[in-house]
Amino acid sequence: MTSSPLTFHWFLPTYGDSRYIVGGGHGLAAGSASGDRPATLSYLGQIARAAEDLGFAGALTPTGAWCEDAWLTTAMLAEATERLKFLVAFRPGLLSPTLAAQMAATYQWHSGGRLLLNVVTGGEAHEQRGYGDFLDKAARYARAGEFLEVVRALWSGGPVDFRGEHVQVEGGRIPRVPDPLPPIYFGGSSQPAGPVAARHADVYLTWGEPPADVAAKLAWMASLAAAEGRSLRYGIRLHVITRDTADEAWAAADRLLAAVDPETISRVQEGLRRSESEGQRRMLDLHGGRSADLLVAPNLWAGVGLVRGGAGTALVGSHREVADRIAEYHDLGLTEFILSGYPHLEEAYWFGEGVLPLLAERGLWTHPARAAALSPAAVPFAGV
């Protein structure tokens, strides 16, 4: 059992939001996502401010043809928040490592150190080709490793000369080193993903699989990291539907599913089956495209994955049941939880006001504002 406290991040739906599941996601076509609430800065700002007030440490912003750009959107939202960090998803290979290292440093300088980086290799060849990237999956992971090696070297002060199979840099240098260095979040369930994460990630991410599957994946990653002389932190990406009672939560889940017609499910599943992502395959295997038998573990519901790519499972139940499941994942070694729900503004409040206080009572979580207030650096003469 891990003794590390829990950290929670929320999610910014930069493709639009709704009271129902918004289609789109990894590998689906540009424009496939839609929502009743456009992803305006005003609305995303509401979500970001709510997440900050409720105690989320950061917010993940996705990347892909189906959503707005994460770097630009979050840079604009930094002015609308004070403490919230932004977990910016981006794809190595679509920009140079030197430019990415410089962008990260600039972001830290202007935001006061509020950048976290989610490196996404890209799991769908057809989407990558739309961005001008024609490497296959194994090569994309190899390039990601070279990319991160250069970025780390630049963040150490440079200059950097590097000649790899996919990345070449000569005399690479950036005007300033980011302070603090942005943690690297990295996910991947396939064999090529493991060594890259073991060498370069600070936080290894998994999508919301049943606990036994998560435990096996974490053991795999821990052994790879140990062989590199490193240790990692671990996180999980999940949706949540939490209410005062279990019946209310499951009624909300049923309402989401009732709004999805079988033709839409069939069309989305056909698109997702083209994915080269091992993580996406594992998500699809949980439900097999069928609307029945979606409860894949206690309080773990696979309904979201019927119409959305990427993270496809949700914790569903009463506040106490959801807190119990989070504590069980924590026992496996997970310390960071990246959560979302429909609509993202309201669901942030359901979780923040219903579940987080229960976890605080158990000593598993502390509101970031309170933690900062209790820090010796925040107390005059505390070190005297």
Side-chain angles (χ1 to χ4, degrees):
M1 175 178 177
T2 179
S3 58
S4 301
L6 293 168
T7 299
F8 290 95
H9 307 276
W10 198 239
F11 185 86
L12 295 175
T14 52
Y15 44 85
D17 202 4
S18 175
R19 293 182 178 275
Y20 301 96
I21 299 173
V22 179
H26 295 256
L28 297 182
S32 61
S34 62
D36 305 314
R37 303 179 187 179
T40 62
L41 281 176
S42 175
Y43 180 62
L44 295 173
Q46 288 185 61
I47 298 173
R49 287 187 293 273
E52 182 173 77
D53 290 342
L54 290 164
F56 292 95
L60 172 64
T61 311
T63 182
W66 52 286
C67 56
E68 302 297 337
D69 179 74
W71 288 97
L72 294 173
T73 301
T74 58
M76 294 179 183
L77 289 174
E79 285 291 296
T81 53
E82 297 178 0
R83 186 192 63 255
L84 189 73
K85 297 180 180 180
F86 295 99
L87 181 49
V88 172
F90 78 102
R91 303 185 187 193
L94 303 187
L95 72 169
S96 79
T98 306
L99 179 58
Q102 182 180 9
M103 289 167 64
T106 299
Y107 201 116
Q108 293 298 61
W109 172 248
H110 289 307
S111 71
R114 292 194 282 148
L115 175 67
L116 314 170
L117 288 175
N118 178 203
V119 175
V120 179
T121 59
E124 291 76 32
H126 65 281
E127 185 181 14
Q128 294 296 122
R129 289 194 296 268
Y131 282 100
D133 178 16
F134 289 84
L135 295 184
D136 62 23
K137 178 179 177 178
R140 289 197 297 270
Y141 274 113
R143 179 181 60 194
E146 294 179 3
F147 179 100
L148 290 171
E149 186 173 342
V150 171
V151 167
R152 293 284 196 193
L154 288 164
W155 286 350
S156 297
V160 175
D161 293 306
F162 183 89
R163 184 164 294 276
E165 183 179 356
H166 305 285
V167 174
Q168 290 87 40
V169 172
E170 183 177 319
R173 176 187 298 275
I174 56 177
R176 70 170 70 246
V177 173
D179 182 22
L181 296 180
I184 300 294
Y185 291 66
F186 192 95
S189 300
S190 64
Q191 289 303 314
V196 178
R199 294 189 193 106
H200 300 290
D202 298 298
V203 181
Y204 174 78
L205 294 175
T206 178
W207 285 332
E209 299 180 14
D213 296 334
V214 171
K217 190 181 290 187
L218 267 55
W220 169 59
M221 279 308 310
S223 65
L224 291 176
E228 297 287 338
R230 304 183 69 231
S231 61
L232 308 179
R233 303 198 307 277
Y234 298 98
I236 191 168
R237 171 80 179 93
L238 287 158
H239 304 277
V240 287
I241 304 173
T242 178
R243 297 293 185 271
D244 295 337
T245 68
D247 287 345
E248 290 175 289
W250 285 109
D254 290 341
R255 185 185 66 83
L256 291 178
L257 194 59
V260 181
D261 63 87
E263 182 180 342
T264 298
I265 293 174
S266 177
R267 184 177 68 253
V268 171
Q269 292 298 298
E270 181 180 358
L272 292 175
R273 280 193 291 271
R274 295 187 300 171
S275 175
E276 297 175 344
S277 166
E278 176 67 11
Q280 185 64 72
R281 183 194 66 76
R282 292 165 73 109
M283 286 286 102
L284 294 176
D285 286 349
L286 291 176
H287 53 69
R290 299 180 299 274
S291 299
D293 302 322
L294 292 172
L295 188 64
V296 297
N299 300 104
L300 187 65
W301 182 67
V304 178
L306 291 175
V307 291
R308 184 192 187 280
T313 53
L315 290 178
V316 182
S318 68
H319 303 315
R320 192 163 300 279
E321 287 174 333
V322 171
D324 288 343
R325 300 292 85 76
I326 288 172
E328 289 174 2
Y329 278 122
H330 182 244
D331 286 343
L332 299 180
L334 293 163
T335 58
E336 304 212 17
F337 287 71
I338 303 172
L339 307 175
S340 57
Y342 300 99
H344 289 73
L345 181 60
E346 288 91 326
E347 202 66 49
Y349 278 101
W350 278 115
F351 184 86
E353 296 177 343
V355 179
L356 289 180
L358 296 176
L359 295 169
E361 289 175 5
R362 304 182 190 190
L364 296 177
W365 174 81
T366 301
H367 194 295
R370 183 172 183 272
L374 295 175
S375 169
V379 181
F381 313 114
V384 177

